[in-house]
Amino acid sequence: MKTTLYLVLILILLSCQKKISEKTQHKEFNTKTEIKKLEKLELNDTIIYLSDDNDLALIKLTLIPNGTFDFHMSIYPETMQDSEPKPEIIKANGIWNGNKKTVLLNFEKQEKDSLNLNKIFDSNYAKENEFKVNNNTVEIDYSLDKLNIWGISCYKSKKENSEISTTVSTNSNSKFPIWIEKINLDINSELGQHQKRNIKEFNKLNDSLSICVFILNDGLCSKYSLVTFLNQNEIDNAEIGIECDQDMSIPEYKWKEFEFLSTTTFQTIEFSEHVNDSLIDNNGYIKEGYDFMESKTTIDSIIKVFEIDKTGKITGTNNE
């Protein structure tokens, strides 16, 4: 009788241990599954959130595979009578980390309190859990194809590294194709000794369409031009940047900068810095005893956005 009782107790004990073991294994399996779901997101290509067509602002959030990100926001100015519109530009960067569900953007702190993340990532214009703001961090729902930043729809897209990489030619001394170097050489032979044009960037957008940025130096100014080529034939061109030596006796200084927003979209920003009218003499120069660098100046700027279509034509939404 005792032997039978002992056997029953042993069987019960073994049964309990088996259930405990199964529960432990099941728990471990769930934990491993959860960890797998939350694996760190690793990007092979650059991810861009770009605003659609609107009259308010141009917004671009770029996630770079190296774990950093860039944020650019150009707020379009309202047209005012008797005054030139002044755009507001917000730039920021930082580091990101996350998984396929969420990505945490950790913005670098800025000296000036010019970056209000609660206003830029306004929850009043977003879906529930689209993003969460906490001090200088923003957690976005990476599974979504669109984010509403500043109330504007910004669509997610992928920019493959191969699309923006510089083309390498068979010439080991150059990183540009032979045909584009020949075109530039022919131009330089016509310019003469006081001017020279160099290739700054070359991007092959597809098998037939390419773009090239040239710099023309004449001793006083450096002028940047964007030229499009279809099947190695020039289609269109635009001046996208200029910087010149400054004459301190002139009451105004102008320059132009450019930035690529995507492989087919870029913007130019024209700046004009000038002194107060009271410091200008009757001949249009700065009055004697005053200097441009030491005088109080005002800076105005105009932003223009351009698109390159599939035929190579350059068009601008606010192009004059």
Side-chain angles (χ1 to χ4, degrees):
M1 182 68 179
K2 289 183 179 181
T3 302
T4 303
L5 183 59
Y6 287 144
L7 289 173
V8 172
L9 290 173
I10 291 172
L11 290 173
I12 293 173
L13 181 61
L14 290 174
S15 177
C16 291
Q17 289 178 340
K18 182 179 180 182
K19 289 182 178 180
I20 292 173
S21 177
E22 288 177 349
K23 287 182 178 180
T24 302
Q25 290 177 0
H26 184 67
K27 184 178 180 180
E28 289 177 353
F29 176 77
N30 285 340
T31 302
K32 290 179 180 178
T33 304
E34 192 67 23
I35 292 174
K36 186 176 181 181
K37 287 181 180 179
L38 299 178
E39 280 182 351
K40 182 179 178 181
L41 176 65
E42 294 183 358
L43 300 179
N44 294 321
D45 302 302
T46 300
I47 301 298
I48 297 176
Y49 292 86
L50 187 63
S51 57
D52 60 1
D53 292 336
N54 67 89
D55 298 325
L56 299 176
L58 174 70
I59 300 174
K60 181 185 178 187
L61 171 63
T62 306
L63 303 182
I64 305 171
N66 64 5
T68 64
F69 71 87
D70 291 320
F71 179 79
H72 178 99
M73 183 173 178
S74 299
I75 301 175
Y76 300 141
E78 295 182 5
T79 303
M80 303 289 289
Q81 288 185 343
D82 302 326
S83 64
E84 292 186 8
K86 298 180 181 180
E88 181 181 354
I89 300 176
I90 299 174
K91 289 186 177 182
N93 52 47
I95 59 175
W96 66 266
N97 61 77
N99 50 70
K100 292 184 178 180
K101 174 60 180 173
T102 60
V103 166
L104 185 68
L105 307 174
N106 193 336
F107 285 80
E108 285 191 3
K109 293 183 179 180
Q110 300 186 2
E111 293 182 3
K112 296 181 180 179
D113 188 20
S114 59
L115 188 66
N116 191 328
L117 294 178
N118 285 295
K119 287 186 177 180
I120 296 174
F121 294 87
D122 192 340
S123 59
N124 293 320
Y125 298 97
K127 295 180 180 178
E128 186 178 0
N129 296 326
E130 189 171 318
F131 46 71
K132 298 176 183 177
V133 180
N134 183 18
N135 295 326
N136 65 318
T137 64
V138 179
E139 185 181 63
I140 64 174
D141 188 341
Y142 185 74
S143 65
L144 299 176
D145 293 327
K146 180 188 72 171
L147 295 177
N148 290 294
I149 303 175
W150 209 54
I152 299 173
S153 298
C154 298
Y155 292 88
K156 182 169 70 173
S157 63
K158 180 189 298 184
K159 184 168 71 172
E160 296 181 2
N161 294 335
S162 59
E163 290 182 349
I164 60 173
S165 59
T166 303
T167 302
V168 179
S169 72
T170 54
N171 183 356
S172 59
N173 296 323
S174 174
K175 59 182 179 180
F176 305 114
I178 295 176
W179 65 268
I180 195 69
E181 288 196 329
K182 185 178 184 304
I183 289 176
N184 192 55
L185 185 63
D186 293 338
I187 292 293
N188 279 325
S189 64
E190 297 174 1
L191 291 175
Q193 60 179 353
H194 299 296
Q195 297 185 80
K196 185 177 182 181
R197 193 177 78 164
N198 295 314
I199 302 172
K200 184 180 188 300
E201 295 181 29
F202 176 85
N203 289 330
K204 188 174 182 180
L205 304 184
N206 54 48
D207 291 339
S208 56
L209 183 61
S210 304
I211 62 174
C212 189
V213 177
F214 296 94
I215 309 175
L216 177 64
N217 294 293
D218 60 7
L220 295 176
C221 298
S222 295
K223 299 178 181 179
Y224 296 78
S225 61
L226 174 69
V227 183
T228 61
F229 296 89
L230 189 65
N231 296 319
Q232 301 183 14
N233 295 311
E234 181 175 338
I235 300 298
D236 207 353
N237 65 80
E239 183 186 84
I240 60 175
I242 184 170
E243 50 190 33
C244 300
D245 294 338
Q246 185 175 1
D247 185 344
M248 294 302 170
S249 66
I250 304 296
E252 185 179 32
Y253 178 66
K254 295 182 178 181
W255 73 98
K256 184 190 292 186
E257 299 178 357
F258 68 93
E259 179 184 7
F260 281 96
L261 306 174
S262 69
T263 53
T264 57
T265 308
F266 66 94
Q267 72 173 10
T268 62
I269 309 176
E270 300 176 22
F271 295 91
S272 174
E273 185 178 8
H274 52 87
V275 302
N276 192 284
D277 291 342
S278 62
L279 301 181
I280 304 175
D281 63 20
N282 294 331
N283 296 318
Y285 292 93
I286 295 180
K287 291 181 178 179
E288 188 174 352
Y290 293 92
D291 183 85
F292 187 98
M293 295 298 293
E294 297 177 357
S295 303
K296 183 178 180 181
T297 60
T298 303
I299 299 178
D300 298 323
S301 59
I302 299 175
I303 298 176
K304 295 181 180 181
V305 181
F306 300 86
E307 290 278 350
I308 303 170
D309 66 21
K310 61 183 180 181
T311 66
K313 285 291 183 180
I314 302 172
T315 57
T317 54
N318 44 4
N319 194 12
E320 297 178 354

